[in-house]
Structure formats: structure tokens, C-alpha cells
Amino acid sequence: MAHLLVVESWVGSMSRLLPRAIREGGHEFTFLTRDLHHYLRSAPEGAAHPLLGARNVITADTNDTEALLPQVERLHAVLGFDGVLTSCDYYLPTVALTAARLGLPGPPPEAVGNACRKDATRRVLAEAGVPGPRFAVHEEWSRIAAAAREIGYPLVVKPVDLCAGMFVRRVDDEEQLASCVAALAGFPVNARGQRRAPAVLLEELLDGPEVSVETVSHAGAVQVVGVTDKSVGGAPAFIETGHMFPAALPAGDAEAAEQTALGALKALGLTDGVVAHTEIKLTSAGPRVVEVNPRPAGNRITELIRHVTGVDLAAAFVDVSLGRAPDLRRTDTGLRSAAIGFLVPGTAGTLEALDAGAVRTAPDVLEVQLAEPGRQVKAAGSNNEYLGHVMAGDPDGTGARARVESLLDEVRSGLVIR
């Protein structure tokens, strides 16, 4: 039995999948958090959050890495950790530093730090010749505006250190750019209380569909698990509205996306102890890297993969965090594709009605999760405002996305926001 240290977590699906994978692997974990109530609030009424079923739950200031590392060293001397991990992007650099300090398996802290900063990722990949958009990074408005004119409108504005598409916007002129920069400046601290970098990333707007390449890195070798497609809506925001695994792509496009992702991971140094989710645009000029996430994919993509291949990426994440070879053998699950579609609110108000109707019992449905009436709703500006999702599979081919879209249309017919 191994003992893992889990440092914070998202409160979505991975916060439940990871504890399950740890226990199913025959292991136990200690959970370290700065705000226990963050997880208490996210649990369904009358149920304890799975993270709070840890062998130990310890409160510490996980935002103060300098003070945290000596504290974790003392805990390690008593509890004896065999690995350390997190699903939350904002704590991936802390976990990498902790693993290095304790002599535990994990990717190099510099590699994780570069992957978690969008501007650093851009610089590292550009130096290595990995294809990406033209970009610029500045803090002062005059330099931001000048760089935007040089790149050319339309372009994409991004924070360098936020997740879930927050504040990522398409801008078509300098007035829109100024509005986006002001909005970013008005959000100086992220959702976990960490002060944000003031830098603004500008990128060339890329054409073509977007996919993600899911990989597992162990002992210097990176194995591709597959390619997932993505649908995006909510312009000028970039909100993920759905995914399908595997992506319905010509073999050449899938291979090109995979090779581009492998090149990015190698350039960043993410070839050991990582389950990664690398986003790629298949542009008319070839694949371009959007970003590299050194953690398992969110938005239930890991579950799409499990339904189709039997591969459990949460379990693989636990294995590589312990320095062990992951089990990536595929099994015949009876499905050839699986897809998820998200219910994205377009207006603000109070959710008065949302009824799945017969969708829950429809053929090929794998999951239905919907918000309860009475919830306050705001028009979605990122991936944080979903009102639920529908997941379905296809036993015959890549028809899962069409099936999900049809089911979502049924759910939307019962949606009332006032």
C-alpha cells in the first residue's frame, strides 16, 4: 500500500475520480488544503466530499510555497509519502516543487512551471521550433496596443495564468482589446486566492478545428492514449460546448496532432510522471499548439476515454505519480465512441425549470447531470458556468456526438431562465 499526498484539487469530476483511483489501487492518501470549507460547500447535501475521506486531512497555507515545503518535509518524516499530486492547475507547480524537495517521483519543477504559464509555454515552444501562433506578451497598455497592431486583428487575448477559458476573448479592434485588458486588470487574484501576474498574452487567431491529445509520460517515454475533439461556442469567449473521443479525423490529421503534441511535451521536458492534455488547432497551415496542460483532461474527457477504451487515466495519474508504469492496455468496452455535450446558459437570471424528461433513460446514454431549479444563473463567459451535461456512446462508430446533440436539444426544450 502506498501513501500519497494530495495537495488541493478542483471540485469537479477529477476530485472524485482521483480518490476513487487511489483507493481502487489499494493505496491511501493525506489531503492538504488551505480552505476545508471550499470542499465542504461543493459536496451534495447530506454527503461528504470524497477528498475528505482521506486518512488525514491537514490544513496548511498551500499558497505560501516557501513556508509549505518545510512543513511538508516534517509531515513526510512522520507519515511517509510515496508520491504527491493534484488535479488543480494552480497547485501543479507547488506539487512539482514538493516532489523534488522530498525526493519523490515527478516531472521537473521548471517544466511544470513553464507549462502552467501560457507565456512561458509560448517562449519555450517557439525556441524549440514547435509550431504555434504568433504572439506577444506585455504589461503596459501602449506596448499591448502596439503588439496587437503588429500581429493584426482579429486576435486572441489571454491571461497568462488562469484556467477554464477565463477571460480568453477574441478581439476585432483596439476598443475591444482595451475592454478585455481592463477586465483582466480588474481580476488581480484567482479563485484560490493567489495573486495573478499582470502580463497579457496576445495571440494570432488560428483557423481550423481544435482537438486535444491525451498522453501519459513515464520514465522518459510518452505514450499517446488518443485524440479528443472539441466544439467551441460563446463568441467572443471560447467556451467548450462538447467533446468526443476518439475525434472523427482522417488518420493523417490525427497523426499530425499527436506528433505536434509529442514535440511540445519533449520541448517542455514533460516526459516523466505526467498525464497531459495538449490542445492543438488543425489549421490550414498545419497543427499549432494552443496550450499544454500537465494534468489529466477535465470536462469528463477522462471518462469518455474510459468508456471507449477501458483505460483509466485517473489510475494512470496515480501510478506515474508513484513512479510506477501505468496500465494503458485497452479492452473492448462495446463502444466505439463517446461524447459529452454541455448546457451553456446564454442569459442571466434564475433557473426556474430544467427537466431531463426521457433523456435519462434514452438508449446509449451514459450520464446526465443537470443543475437544480432555483440556482442563480449568469450568461456563460468561461467553462465555469455550465448548467449540466449529457454523455452518450455509440457502439458502431463515431456517431456519439450527433447523439449527444440530439439529446441536448431535448433538454434545452425544458430549460426556463427568468
Side-chain angles (χ1 to χ4, degrees):
M1 175 187 289
H3 186 188
L4 290 114
L5 175 64
V6 177
V7 181
E8 302 289 5
S9 172
W10 291 123
V11 294
S13 62
M14 191 53 65
S15 70
R16 290 162 173 78
L17 296 175
L18 267 186
R20 184 205 71 192
I22 291 170
R23 288 201 176 87
E24 289 182 354
H27 313 308
E28 61 184 5
F29 68 100
T30 289
F31 183 52
L32 194 64
T33 178
R34 66 187 289 269
D35 181 9
L36 189 59
H37 292 283
H38 184 75
Y39 303 92
L40 292 171
R41 289 191 296 269
S42 70
E45 187 174 349
H49 196 289
L51 286 166
L52 304 186
R55 172 182 165 184
N56 311 288
V57 177
I58 298 172
T59 301
D61 189 352
T62 51
N63 285 350
D64 186 347
T65 306
E66 187 175 337
L68 182 68
L69 291 177
Q71 185 174 354
V72 171
E73 276 187 312
R74 293 190 292 271
L75 289 172
H76 181 50
V78 176
L79 300 175
F81 303 121
D82 301 295
V84 55
L85 74 171
T86 184
S87 66
C88 181
D89 300 57
Y90 298 140
Y91 295 97
L92 289 165
T94 300
V95 160
L97 289 167
T98 300
R101 182 75 162 257
L102 300 183
L104 297 175
E110 182 182 9
V112 175
N114 285 337
C116 290
R117 279 282 302 240
K118 293 179 176 66
D119 52 339
T121 299
R122 283 279 168 252
R123 294 186 182 107
V124 170
L125 297 189
E127 288 170 6
V130 178
R134 291 179 294 129
F135 71 96
V137 187
H138 297 293
E139 295 183 16
E140 304 84 6
W141 166 249
S142 60
R143 301 186 70 183
I144 292 170
R149 290 191 291 271
E150 183 176 345
I151 293 172
Y153 293 100
L155 50 77
V156 180
V157 180
K158 295 182 178 180
V160 298
D161 53 4
L162 288 176
C163 311
M166 292 184 67
F167 294 95
V168 178
R169 297 290 185 271
R170 169 183 168 141
V171 296
D172 294 300
D173 55 41
E174 192 163 300
E175 182 180 358
Q176 292 178 9
L177 176 64
S179 176
C180 288
V181 170
L184 262 180
F187 194 76
V189 177
N190 69 25
R192 294 305 181 95
Q194 299 169 335
R195 183 155 291 278
R196 291 191 48 255
V200 175
L201 175 61
L202 305 178
E203 293 180 357
E204 169 192 9
L205 179 67
L206 299 173
D207 64 357
E210 185 172 332
V211 299
S212 61
V213 181
E214 323 307 335
T215 55
V216 180
S217 302
H218 172 67
V222 184
Q223 185 165 338
V224 175
V225 176
V227 181
T228 312
D229 79 6
K230 175 190 296 188
S231 56
V232 178
F238 295 85
I239 302 171
E240 296 178 1
T241 59
H243 303 278
M244 184 173 74
F245 182 90
L249 292 174
D253 286 349
E255 173 69 14
E258 290 173 6
Q259 291 303 315
T260 302
L262 291 173
L265 292 167
K266 182 179 179 181
L268 286 162
L270 295 171
T271 58
D272 189 26
V274 177
V275 176
H277 169 71
T278 303
E279 297 174 350
I280 306 284
K281 272 273 195 178
L282 299 174
T283 78
S284 55
R288 298 289 184 268
V289 176
V290 176
E291 62 184 41
V292 180
N293 300 282
R295 44 82 179 155
N299 269 354
R300 305 293 283 171
I301 290 173
T302 56
E303 291 303 276
L304 298 181
I305 292 169
R306 184 179 63 82
H307 281 300
V308 175
T309 69
V311 173
D312 187 340
L313 286 181
F317 188 30
V318 172
D319 285 336
V320 299
S321 297
L322 291 169
R324 302 177 181 182
D327 182 0
L328 300 178
R329 292 172 297 178
R330 295 177 178 238
T331 58
D332 186 353
T333 65
L335 291 179
R336 296 295 171 262
S337 66
I340 187 168
F342 299 100
L343 193 60
V344 181
T347 58
T350 301
L351 178 61
E352 289 200 355
L354 181 54
D355 185 5
V359 168
R360 292 187 190 276
T361 56
D364 304 323
V365 168
L366 301 170
E367 289 181 12
V368 178
Q369 180 178 313
L370 300 175
E372 293 292 331
R375 169 174 161 176
Q376 292 301 304
V377 177
K378 64 177 182 178
S382 71
N383 299 338
N384 292 325
E385 286 89 31
Y386 299 137
L387 293 179
H389 69 259
V390 175
M391 185 188 295
D394 179 5
D396 301 317
T398 54
R401 174 177 285 285
R403 179 67 176 139
V404 160
E405 289 301 325
S406 174
L407 293 166
L408 267 182
D409 284 342
E410 291 185 45
V411 172
R412 290 189 189 101
S413 68
L415 171 64
V416 179
I417 299 173
R418 298 192 193 281

